[in-house]
Amino acid sequence: MINKQHTSKLQRLQELLLTTLLGDIPTIAFGPKLRNLVYPQIFYQMGKLIYIQHGVEFLGTSAIEMGNGVYIFKGVRLDAQGHPNNKISLGNGVALERYIDIGCLDNTCISIGDETFIGPNVCIAGPGNIKIGKHCMIASHSGIYANNHKFASVTQPIKYQGITRQGIEIQDDCWLGHGVTVVDGVTIGKGSVIGAGSVVTKDIPPYSVSVGIPARVIKSRVSKDLVTS
């Protein structure tokens, strides 16, 4: 146990030194190229042709893996700290726009599939597992939250009543519009479209178009028929 703690502290020290020294070097000063050369020492896995802009914050790099051709822009925060089983996985060609916040919290796996684009100011948070498929588009200011607070007791503060964590799955080729919220326990089926501002509180069938609060299926992309139920 002591050896593990010692190793963990050394890893965190190395992570802090390298990300502090190299993290804010701008593109004009070859910052992305320098990060590509040095960061593989601290990440679990790091592919080729990765572009990491200056001002990106990484926590728990030994639990973060990236495929080839990943783009991460200024202000992104990836936090895999908190549990030895935490993992953040970015597939080939994933693009994370500015000021995205991705956090595992506790015993959590967050995976984002190949060629998925996530817009600015999106929050993706555990501690439930989150799986986002390939070729998805998630627009700005959306939130994906794999947890829910318990609040049965009125005599105890909600913050002390614990949480549930069922997990979230967004399957391949989904498009979430601006400001969509996805709550814990939801699966969004392949090829689905979620309208801007919607709150997804239950499963969405594949190839559906859904809108509203809570999100309701209004159309199938396959049949083109309106759904009345």
Side-chain angles (χ1 to χ4, degrees), residues 61-153:
T61 52
S62 61
I64 298 173
E65 64 179 19
M66 305 180 207
N68 299 320
V70 171
Y71 279 74
I72 304 177
F73 293 93
K74 182 179 179 180
V76 170
R77 180 176 185 268
L78 299 182
D79 184 0
Q81 289 189 125
H83 193 279
N85 292 337
N86 283 354
K87 182 179 180 182
I88 295 175
S89 177
L90 307 179
N92 297 325
V94 167
L96 303 181
E97 262 290 358
R98 293 187 172 201
Y99 303 107
I100 292 169
D101 192 338
I102 300 176
C104 288
L105 299 179
D106 177 44
N107 195 17
T108 302
C109 178
I110 297 175
S111 66
I112 301 173
D114 295 350
E115 297 184 19
T116 282
F117 170 83
I118 300 180
N121 295 287
V122 169
C123 182
I124 301 172
N129 294 332
I130 298 171
K131 182 178 181 181
I132 300 173
K134 301 177 181 179
H135 312 297
C136 291
M137 297 182 294
I138 298 175
S140 61
H141 296 277
S142 293
I144 300 168
Y145 304 107
N147 63 77
N148 221 332
H149 288 276
K150 299 177 182 178
F151 54 89
S153 173

Side-chain angles (χ1 to χ4, degrees), residues 204-218:
I204 303 296
Y207 302 105
S208 298
V209 178
S210 302
V211 299
I213 304 174
R216 182 176 69 89
V217 176
I218 60 168

Side-chain angles (χ1 to χ4, degrees), residues 183-200:
V183 302
D184 194 29
V186 163
T187 296
I188 298 177
K190 182 177 180 179
S192 290
V193 176
I194 311 296
S198 298
V199 179
V200 184

